[in-house]
């Protein structure tokens, strides 16, 4: 049974994302380098109160290394300094870096299916053939570069909130 996705007042458009897998146990964030995928995952995890355990999938390339690392993490919570149990989020960065090694992607998919903690996978090359099977096990978020109009609107909003004025010539200078 699919969860309903509500449209936020600030303009979140759920139709931009693949809704076929809305109840997946993991998310796949994809898009060009430097767009903010990892920062977004960290901010969301922090906002939701998770302790983030970050691994670089390019270091965990094969079935054995993924099983030994995620096999332990996927069923555990973290114990904080004050003794309270903290919610854990596994952040797997650069999962497209493991696509060339045997068994790595399939083991990650297996770990996602068995995990009791949320997993966020991040890749640059969503179109890679090996990423297709991972995307089938994840809720797929595809990031794209903002256009010049979006950048201009964001600059205007920030300046407005900071009490600054910006003129069109100053904005035009950014694009020249």
């Amino acid at each position: 049974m699919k969860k309903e996705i509500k449209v936020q007042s600030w303009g979140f458009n759920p139709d931009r994302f693949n809704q076929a897998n809305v109840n997946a146990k993991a998310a796949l964030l994809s898009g060009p380098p430097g767009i903010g995928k990892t920062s977004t995952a960290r901010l969301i995890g922090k906002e939701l109160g998770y302790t983030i355990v970050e691994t670089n999938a390019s270091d965990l390339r094969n079935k054995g290394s993924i099983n030994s690392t995620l096999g332990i993490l996927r069923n555990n919570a973290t114990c904080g300094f004050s003794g309270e149990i903290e919610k854990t989020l596994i952040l797997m960065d650069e999962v497209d870096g493991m696509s060339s090694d045997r068994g790595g992607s399939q083991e990650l998919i297996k770990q996602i299916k068995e995990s009791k903690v949320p997993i966020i996978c991040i890749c640059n090359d969503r179109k890679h053939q090996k990423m297709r099977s991972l995307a089938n096990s994840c809720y797929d978020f595809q990031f794209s570069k903002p256009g010049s109009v979006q950048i201009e609107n964001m600059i205007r909003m920030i300046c407005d909130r900071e009490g600054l004025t910006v003129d069109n010539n100053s904005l035009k200078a950014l694009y020249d």
Side-chain angles (χ1 to χ4, degrees), residues 4-176:
E4 181 182 339
I5 299 175
K6 296 179 183 177
V7 177
Q8 302 293 319
S9 60
W10 45 268
F12 173 74
N13 182 1
D15 294 330
R16 289 183 49 217
F17 303 111
N18 175 10
Q19 292 187 7
N21 224 356
V22 73
N23 289 323
K25 290 184 175 184
L28 176 64
L29 281 57
S30 63
I35 198 88
K37 302 178 298 288
T38 304
S39 296
T40 299
R42 288 177 185 149
L43 288 170
I44 289 171
K46 184 178 178 180
E47 181 69 25
L48 295 174
Y50 284 95
T51 298
I52 299 170
V53 178
E54 188 170 344
T55 61
N56 189 313
S58 65
D59 296 333
L60 304 174
R61 291 183 174 270
N62 60 34
K63 180 179 179 178
S65 63
I66 290 172
N67 185 31
S68 65
T69 302
L70 290 189
I72 296 166
L73 295 173
R74 69 182 168 87
N75 292 319
N76 289 332
T78 306
C79 186
F81 287 113
S82 62
E84 78 280 358
I85 301 296
E86 298 175 348
K87 301 185 296 183
T88 302
L89 169 78
I90 299 171
L91 180 57
M92 293 286 295
D93 208 350
E94 299 181 17
V95 292
D96 45 352
M98 76 166 69
S99 61
S100 61
D101 294 328
R102 295 182 70 158
S105 295
Q106 292 306 316
E107 183 63 22
L108 178 57
I109 292 167
K110 178 185 171 211
Q111 295 295 332
I112 287 170
K113 289 177 181 176
E114 295 174 1
S115 181
K116 294 180 182 171
V117 300
I119 299 174
I120 298 179
C121 301
I122 301 172
C123 72
N124 294 331
D125 187 8
R126 165 65 181 83
K127 303 257 187 248
H128 193 286
Q129 186 176 5
K130 296 266 183 163
M131 290 295 100
R132 291 181 189 154
S133 56
L134 179 61
N136 290 334
S137 299
C138 298
Y139 188 64
D140 195 7
F141 291 92
Q142 296 179 27
F143 285 55
S144 59
K145 290 183 178 180
S148 58
V149 172
Q150 290 174 305
I151 294 170
E152 184 178 324
N153 289 339
M154 188 59 67
I155 290 171
R156 287 185 189 282
M157 183 186 73
I158 292 169
C159 288
D160 211 29
R161 287 184 179 175
E162 295 291 328
L164 303 170
T165 57
V166 63
D167 61 17
N168 290 334
N169 290 333
S170 297
L171 285 174
K172 187 177 182 308
L174 290 172
Y175 304 111
D176 292 338

